[in-house]
Amino acid sequence: MNQAKYQRVLLKLSGEALMGDGNYGIHPETLGYVAREVKSAVDLGVEMAVVVGGGNIFRGMAGSSQGMDRASADYLGMLATVMNSLALQEALEKIDIPTRVLSAISMHQVAEPYIRRRAVRHLEKKRVVIFAAGTGNPYFTTDTAAVLRAAEIHAEVLLKATKVDGVYDMDPVGNTTAKFIQDIDYMTVLEKRLHVMDSTAISLAMDNHLLLVVFNLRESGNIRNAICGQAVGTKICEPRK
C-alpha cells in the first residue's frame, strides 16, 4: 500500500533517536537514516512537521534533579532541541528536502520565529517544518509541545517514534512478560500510568481528539507505513463504541 491515509502529519522524535548506539550527541549515520526515513514519507506527498527532543544533549529534568533551577534547566533543554533541529534540517536538505526550522525562542540568525500561520504556509508549500525549542516555556516536555503543535496545525495524526515496537503494559526493557498493546484509549493510558508520553501530553491529545501512533523508529519503513495506514505500532485514540 503506497497511498497516504493522512495528508498532514507530525512526527515526534526523541533526542536519543539521534544518538545511535552512543551515549551522547548526534551520530551522523543515524541522523542520515532518520532523514531518509522522513524523505520516504515526504515522497508520498504528505505535509510533514517534526518535533525533536534534546535528551541526547541536555535533559531539563535531569538538570533539575541535580540541583539546578527547573526553569533554567528546561531552557537549556530547549536550546538542545534547537541544535538537534538544525542538524536534522541540514541532513534533510542534503537529500533535497526543503526544510524550515521554526523556534519558540527567538534566535533569528539560525531559525524563523514560530508563527502558526507561517508554519501552515510552509507545509502547504511541501516544506518539512521542524518545530524547535518546545513550547518556549519551562515545565512542559517536548511531547506536550508536539501535541500542541499538531493541534495548532490541524495534523491528522501524531507519530511518536521510539526504540520499542509500541505500547506495552509494562516496560519491555528487562521485562520478558510485558504484553504488547495494539490499540488503547487515552484514559486507559492515564489510568494505568503507561509512560508513553507525560500525562499533560496525553490529556491534551484526548481533549483535541488527536490520533497518536507509537512505533519503532529502528524498523525501516515504519514512518511511511504508518502514514499509509498499515498496522504499525500502537494506536492511542478514542475508545471504541
Side-chain angles (χ1 to χ4, degrees), residues 163-224:
K163 294 181 179 180
V164 294
D165 292 332
V167 179
Y168 289 78
D169 60 352
M170 64 180 72
D171 189 349
V173 180
N175 291 307
T176 57
T177 58
K179 295 180 180 178
F180 176 75
I181 303 170
Q182 189 166 15
D183 294 280
I184 192 170
D185 62 85
Y186 314 103
M187 191 56 71
T188 302
V189 172
L190 293 172
E191 289 173 348
K192 293 188 175 182
R193 301 187 178 215
L194 302 176
H195 299 294
V196 185
M197 291 180 162
D198 64 276
S199 58
T200 303
I202 294 294
S203 297
L204 186 59
M206 179 171 62
D207 290 344
N208 290 277
H209 313 289
L210 176 65
L211 171 64
L212 309 175
V213 179
V214 183
F215 63 96
N216 191 340
L217 177 64
R218 297 184 178 189
E219 292 278 341
S220 181
N222 268 356
I223 296 176
R224 182 185 178 97

Side-chain angles (χ1 to χ4, degrees), residues 52-184:
V52 60
N56 57 320
I57 299 172
F58 189 89
R59 185 180 293 278
M61 288 291 287
S64 65
S65 69
Q66 296 173 7
M68 184 178 290
D69 178 79
R70 173 66 189 273
S72 297
D74 280 352
Y75 281 120
L76 286 172
M78 291 179 217
L79 296 179
T81 73
V82 175
M83 295 171 69
N84 284 337
S85 296
L86 294 175
L88 183 57
Q89 179 186 40
E90 174 71 11
L92 286 168
E93 294 199 330
K94 276 186 176 179
I95 53 176
D96 300 321
I97 300 296
T99 308
R100 298 291 184 271
V101 175
L102 274 62
S103 173
I105 296 176
S106 296
M107 43 185 73
H108 299 289
Q109 287 83 354
V110 297
E112 298 178 25
Y114 172 70
I115 300 170
R116 188 187 69 84
R117 287 179 177 270
R118 177 179 290 182
V120 171
R121 187 61 179 146
H122 284 319
L123 290 169
E124 290 171 347
K125 291 184 176 181
K126 303 300 183 183
R127 297 165 181 157
V128 171
V129 175
I130 304 175
F131 296 118
T135 66
N137 301 288
Y139 295 94
F140 291 94
T141 67
T142 50
D143 280 343
T144 298
V147 175
L148 174 63
R149 296 292 183 245
E152 288 181 305
I153 65 172
H154 304 296
E156 297 166 82
V157 62
L158 188 156
L159 307 177
K160 180 174 169 61
T162 69
K163 294 181 179 180
V164 294
D165 292 332
V167 179
Y168 289 78
D169 60 352
M170 64 180 72
D171 189 349
V173 180
N175 291 307
T176 57
T177 58
K179 295 180 180 178
F180 176 75
I181 303 170
Q182 189 166 15
D183 294 280
I184 192 170

